[in-house]
Amino acid sequence: MTPASPAPQLAAPRPRGGIVQGVNDSLVIAQRNLIRMSRIPEVIIFGVIQPVMFVVLFSYVFGGSISVDGNTSPAAYREFLMAGIFAQTVTFATAGAGAGIADDMHKGLIDRFRSLPMARGAVLTGRTLADLVQTTLTLVVLAVVALLVGWRTHTSAGEVLGGFALLLLLGYAFSWIGALIGLSVRTPEAATSGGLIWLFPLTFISNAFVPSENMPTFLRTIAEWNPFSATVQAARQLFGNFPPGYEAPAAWPMQHPVTASILWSVLIILVFRTLSVRKYRSASA
């Protein structure tokens, strides 16, 4: 009787390389997440309701109570406000990105993806791209509501689209922060809390809702070098929403907001995408 031969060892699937393959894998994951989102419409609905409430409340409750370069009219504050609300909306999507990835980790779905021969960064890239699509839809609805309450732009269509593009770029950058948080916690609830707790000081110590010139010197410096403030300032500039005679603060990001916004967003993407993919790989080791 011949001894039984040892069972062959099955090699773990190797991720496929190449930029084209990585893009294809990312798009497949993005499509999967978009289909999933479409089957849970209440997530999209609630994601739209919150920023709409901010628009209405800030426009009618604070409008007329806050001075913008000496102008206290509700219309002046409404135009000043909207870029801040738009920016807050795209950055608050960070919590959803983190919670979604944490939920996939909790359910073991990420482990299934790891067993497939796909690019390592595709799972995270696909998720952030799907979140970007959802954020774009939310931003479109929010812009319509803003127009209904009296917000107007005073520049060309190209500049307005450029302003929205910078807002979406910031939202995409922040979604990578959410991805890192989602990979670092154990539950979706913790990812939601971790994704929001740092956003409140970031958005309120900025020029989103009040002019930074009215802040104490220490907070003013933080606000003017805040990446969130740079994008808000850039959006206001591209929308033509500065009041007549407005003079930007002397800080470099406020003098060159479009350049500062792009630099901040690209830097955040490079840093946090690298950290997120590294975290994903170490967790799968």
Side-chain angles (χ1 to χ4, degrees):
M1 183 175 179
T2 58
S5 59
Q9 297 293 324
L10 297 177
R14 294 183 179 180
R16 292 176 291 186
I19 296 176
V20 174
Q21 189 60 57
V23 171
N24 289 336
D25 291 343
S26 299
L27 292 177
V28 169
I29 297 297
Q31 183 182 22
R32 173 258 172 190
N33 282 287
L34 289 173
I35 293 173
R36 181 187 179 190
M37 290 175 184
S38 67
R39 293 175 179 173
I40 314 175
E42 56 267 24
V43 174
I44 300 176
I45 294 172
F46 290 145
V48 171
I49 289 176
Q50 179 180 333
V52 168
M53 288 176 59
F54 273 113
V55 170
V56 175
L57 289 174
F58 274 86
S59 296
Y60 292 104
V61 174
F62 295 103
S65 300
I66 297 178
S67 172
V68 181
D69 270 17
N71 191 337
T72 58
S73 71
Y77 182 66
R78 195 175 295 122
E79 292 201 351
F80 175 86
L81 168 73
M82 285 315 306
I85 294 291
F86 290 149
Q88 184 190 53
T89 300
V90 299
T91 53
F92 270 44
T94 300
I101 291 175
D103 186 51
D104 287 344
M105 292 278 290
H106 185 67
K107 292 178 178 178
L109 188 62
I110 297 295
D111 292 329
R112 299 178 190 176
F113 285 139
R114 288 171 183 157
S115 67
L116 301 175
M118 62 166 52
R120 288 301 186 192
V123 173
L124 302 179
T125 302
R127 174 73 207 199
T128 55
L129 288 175
D131 288 328
L132 179 62
V133 172
Q134 181 180 351
T135 302
T136 302
L137 295 175
T138 302
L139 203 56
V140 169
V141 174
L142 192 58
V144 172
V145 174
L147 291 171
L148 292 176
V149 300
W151 172 67
R152 295 293 182 269
T153 60
H154 308 282
T155 52
S156 67
E159 289 174 301
V160 172
L161 291 176
F164 282 115
L166 289 179
L167 291 165
L168 290 173
L169 180 62
L170 181 71
Y172 182 70
F174 274 48
S175 68
W176 281 105
I177 301 178
L180 181 61
I181 293 172
L183 290 168
S184 303
V185 298
R186 297 182 179 180
T187 65
E189 293 80 9
T192 302
S193 300
L196 288 175
I197 192 170
W198 60 275
L199 280 173
F200 282 103
L202 184 79
T203 54
F204 282 95
I205 305 178
S206 72
N207 61 356
F209 307 116
V210 296
S212 61
E213 296 90 331
N214 299 333
M215 297 180 182
T217 303
F218 174 69
L219 289 180
R220 177 178 177 176
T221 301
I222 295 175
E224 291 173 352
W225 285 88
N226 184 342
F228 186 85
S229 295
T231 300
V232 172
Q233 187 83 348
R236 286 190 183 125
Q237 176 177 303
L238 293 171
F239 294 156
N241 285 161
F242 288 131
Y246 173 79
E247 293 185 8
W252 185 86
M254 299 295 98
Q255 292 288 329
H256 308 87
V258 174
T259 303
S261 175
I262 294 173
L263 290 176
W264 271 120
S265 295
V266 170
L267 179 62
I268 292 170
I269 291 172
L270 291 175
V271 171
F272 284 92
R273 188 185 189 281
T274 301
L275 294 175
S276 297
V277 174
R278 184 177 299 174
K279 182 73 175 178
Y280 178 87
R281 287 175 174 170
S282 65
S284 63

